Amino acid sequence: MNSPVFDLLVQLVSVDRSIVQPAYVQVAQQIMNAIQRGYLEKGSKLPGTRVLSKLLNVHRNTAVAIYDELSSQGWVNIIPNKGTFVLVPEDSKVKIKATTQHINQVYEYPKIPGFPFQQSFNLASTKKETTAKYSISDGKPDLRLHPVHQFSRWYSAAMKRKPLINKWNRTNALIPSVFSTQLCNYLNATRGFHIKPTNLLNTRSTEMSLYIVSQVLINPSDLVLVGQLSNYVANMIFQQAGAKIKTVPVDDEGLDIGYIKKHFIHEHIRCIYVCSNRDYPTTTTLSTKRRLQLLELAKTHGFAIIEDDFDHDFQFEGSSMLPMASADANGNIIYLGKLGQSLFPSFHTGFVVAPEQIITEANNYLQLLDTQGDLIQEQMLSELISEGEIYRLKKKNIVTYKQRRDALCAFLNEYFDNVLDWQIPSGGLAMWLRFKNPISLLKLAEEAEKLDLFLPKTILYQDKNTCAIRFGYGNLNEVELKIVIEKLKQAYLQLLAD
């Protein structure tokens, strides 16, 4: 009869020849796992190399390598002419308990932790996987417009810069980086600012910027005002910071400042979150009159305004309205933006513009999240700004996106003229489509997915007063837009038929 150790090895150890990892390493790791879990006790004698090679159907040289690997890590003791015996290293005294009834699960990592922790409902992911060929975003750029060949040259050139290593090793934080200086110059020229590097913090994304700002600004139970529909990601960040969120109506002039005066001015407002250039999700621009009212209100009552200008670069008609922050003389506005949206997403950079004391404190949080930063990205973007490439890429892509917007409007007129209401936006990569007669948007999404078209829940807005879709068109070319609109119409007609 075989030794119990032999039977255990047959049950617990297997070799996957389809992976790159050597067989002897696979087996050695599985035997270590069995020792840790208490299946192979200290002093147990393991089979000889000839027997082990037969048990596992491997070459004898592989069996020798397995024991050598285990011995080198202190898991077995090889005694000449006697055999190989299990050891338990001194730093592995506590065994991982597992009952023999769960022997087939020995290599499955636990799903449930062995300790209590608080799950955050606010941070639950809203993403849904789909196999649909076509998908509508909430206003993402088209990655296919990324200049791959030019980009590879720029990136390679940035990598070869000799001062790069010195920058990585620098300890003098008193000297602003070249990138900070170039970004300041760019923002001063394009957005009407008069800032210095001490007023600027660059991050990985606008979401990271907002998260850091919320940590600096918000204490539990602080009142934060947002638009009635608002940005779900921003709301998640504020909720995670412990804020008490209340909503403000949005009409054709943007955020209703009169409503704030009437309902919230007697409360201690901590901050107001606003997308002044194009409201998320409705794409409405905050009027000049209301901008001035909001600035005066913030000055009088001492609250902060978080101005999120996430798609400033995508302006088709005329010029974008200058940010409110460009006229802020009282230090009430924290401005969030993004640079490089014509590049691949990993090379976008978010930034915060704010009074120097806020930037100093925000930088302390950034050092905890992203100590290393990305100097190659900074080097490359610095050169793209100074050489004017960022501006040229932006202008080139704006032509493409404007054509797509116009194509979408034509298709909507053809297929949804009597079904939807919409305003042609002066910029941005999304349109706000309102159904004239309310329908179930979730059922519409279900019908659309049957037709290979995915509508994420995060672009569907439905309550007793709203039945609308934030239709992101930037990531779809004109042929794809026509296909998507046709499929959406088919899904709509099927929904009515049901």
Side-chain angles (χ1 to χ4, degrees):
M1 184 174 65
N2 285 342
S3 162
V5 173
F6 291 15
D7 293 335
L8 273 172
L9 289 175
V10 171
Q11 292 183 64
L12 299 179
V13 178
S14 62
V15 178
D16 186 351
R17 302 185 188 282
S18 65
I19 62 177
V20 178
Q21 190 180 46
Y24 80 92
V25 175
Q26 294 182 46
V27 175
Q29 289 178 348
Q30 292 174 64
I31 292 176
M32 292 175 200
N33 194 302
I35 296 171
Q36 285 181 306
R37 292 178 178 267
Y39 291 114
L40 295 174
E41 296 183 352
K42 183 176 181 179
S44 299
K45 184 178 181 180
L46 298 178
T49 54
R50 294 181 188 277
V51 176
L52 183 67
S53 65
K54 291 181 180 179
L55 284 174
L56 304 181
N57 193 28
V58 296
H59 195 278
R60 190 186 173 199
N61 289 344
T62 302
V64 172
I66 291 167
Y67 285 158
D68 286 344
E69 180 71 14
L70 291 169
S71 177
S72 68
Q73 296 193 38
W75 292 99
V76 299
N77 185 20
I78 302 174
I79 303 176
N81 301 320
K82 288 190 176 181
T84 302
F85 299 88
V86 172
L87 292 177
V88 179
E90 292 299 322
D91 59 348
S92 302
K93 290 181 180 178
V94 181
K95 295 177 180 177
I96 300 173
K97 295 181 180 180
T99 60
T100 54
Q101 285 82 357
H102 299 104
I103 198 165
N104 292 330
Q105 299 175 13
V106 67
Y107 301 119
E108 292 184 9
Y109 203 77
K111 294 182 180 179
I112 302 173
F115 51 86
F117 79 106
Q118 184 176 354
Q119 292 178 283
S120 176
F121 171 77
N122 299 326
L123 299 182
S125 175
T126 57
K127 289 186 177 180
K128 178 188 172 185
E129 300 296 328
T130 181
T131 58
K133 182 177 179 180
Y134 299 97
S135 177
I136 301 174
S137 74
D138 69 340
K140 300 290 188 297
D142 191 344
L143 302 185
R144 294 169 296 187
L145 299 181
H146 172 74
V148 177
H149 299 297
Q150 289 175 283
F151 186 85
S152 62
R153 292 199 300 271
W154 296 331
Y155 191 79
S156 176
M159 286 282 290
K160 293 174 182 177
R161 296 287 185 262
K162 291 183 179 180
L164 193 61
I165 299 299
N166 294 332
K167 288 181 181 179
W168 233 300
N169 295 329
R170 71 172 181 251
T171 56
N172 188 356
L174 297 176
I175 302 174
S177 68
V178 174
F179 175 65
S180 295
T181 303
Q182 290 285 3
L183 183 54
C184 277
N185 294 339
Y186 180 79
L187 295 177
N188 289 339
T190 60
R191 308 194 189 191
F193 285 127
H194 301 280
I195 59 172
K196 300 176 182 178
T198 51
N199 301 120
L200 181 68
L201 178 75
N202 65 288
T203 66
R204 300 283 184 174
S205 63
T206 50
E207 292 78 15
M208 179 183 278
S209 298
L210 184 59
Y211 179 83
I212 291 172
V213 166
S214 72
Q215 295 300 307
V216 172
L217 201 61
I218 298 171
N219 294 314
S221 299
D222 278 350
L223 177 60
V224 174
L225 301 183
V226 301
Q228 192 158 21
L229 300 176
S230 193
N231 186 330
Y232 68 96
V233 175
N235 290 346
M236 290 167 64
I237 292 172
F238 292 139
Q239 287 173 348
Q240 190 62 22
K244 179 174 63 174
I245 299 176
K246 292 190 177 181
T247 59
V248 178
V250 176
D251 57 26
D252 292 340
E253 291 188 68
L255 207 65
D256 189 341
I257 310 304
Y259 187 90
I260 296 174
K261 292 179 180 178
K262 182 177 180 179
H263 293 88
F264 299 117
I265 211 62
H266 62 280
E267 301 185 49
H268 180 67
I269 301 172
R270 186 61 174 129
C271 70
I272 295 178
Y273 173 80
V274 59
C275 302
S276 58
N277 194 31
R278 271 178 284 278
D279 177 66
Y280 187 102
T282 66
T283 74
T284 303
T285 299
L286 187 64
S287 68
T288 302
K289 177 183 176 182
R290 290 190 177 177
R291 289 172 185 240
L292 295 174
Q293 290 175 342
L294 184 56
L295 283 169
E296 184 61 31
L297 210 58
K299 174 186 174 182
T300 304
H301 297 279
F303 59 78
I305 300 170
I306 300 177
E307 184 180 14
D308 190 346
D309 200 1
F310 60 92
D311 67 349
H312 182 94
D313 285 348
F314 302 114
Q315 181 69 25
F316 306 144
E317 272 88 28
S319 300
S320 295
M321 289 186 70
L322 292 179
M324 288 191 297
S326 65
D328 178 29
N330 302 296
N332 289 107
I333 297 181
I334 299 174
Y335 178 83
L336 312 181
K338 184 183 287 188
L339 178 74
Q341 293 183 77
S342 296
L343 302 174
F344 203 75
S346 58
F347 285 89
H348 297 178
T349 184
F351 56 84
V352 181
V353 174
E356 187 173 338
Q357 288 185 355
I358 294 293
I359 293 299
T360 300
E361 188 64 19
N363 191 56
N364 293 336
Y365 281 94
L366 179 63
Q367 292 307 308
L368 295 175
L369 297 173
D370 190 20
T371 303
Q372 180 173 298
D374 190 338
L375 292 179
I376 300 174
Q377 179 202 47
E378 292 183 9
Q379 176 76 36
M380 189 191 71
L381 289 176
S382 297
E383 295 175 11
L384 295 185
I385 292 172
S386 64
E387 294 173 9
E389 288 293 345
I390 285 286
Y391 181 77
R392 283 191 286 272
L393 276 173
K394 182 182 77 169
K395 297 298 286 184
K396 178 181 177 182
N397 286 349
I398 281 176
V399 173
T400 300
Y401 288 130
K402 183 177 184 295
Q403 290 172 347
R404 293 181 181 184
R405 182 205 64 178
D406 295 343
L408 174 60
C409 291
F411 296 141
L412 289 173
N413 281 320
E414 181 179 354
Y415 291 93
F416 283 98
D417 185 34
N418 297 318
V419 178
L420 295 171
D421 279 325
W422 65 89
Q423 295 292 326
I424 302 176
S426 62
L429 302 183
M431 287 181 62
W432 184 240
L433 308 180
R434 302 181 303 276
F435 283 87
K436 294 181 179 180
N437 297 309
I439 60 170
S440 170
L441 295 181
L442 289 178
K443 289 183 179 179
L444 177 67
E446 291 174 2
E447 294 296 336
E449 193 154 15
K450 294 176 185 176
L451 298 171
D452 222 13
L453 173 62
F454 178 55
L455 277 65
K457 290 182 181 179
T458 52
I459 70 168
L460 309 178
Y461 292 83
Q462 186 155 32
D463 56 30
K464 63 180 181 180
N465 299 316
T466 308
C467 181
I469 296 176
R470 179 178 169 86
F471 191 108
Y473 60 84
N475 62 313
L476 301 168
N477 62 36
E478 293 178 36
V479 173
E480 293 165 338
L481 280 169
K482 183 175 178 62
I483 294 171
V484 164
I485 292 298
E486 287 175 344
K487 289 180 179 292
L488 191 62
K489 183 61 179 288
Q490 291 177 42
Y492 174 76
L493 294 176
Q494 185 60 46
L495 178 61
L496 295 183
D498 293 342

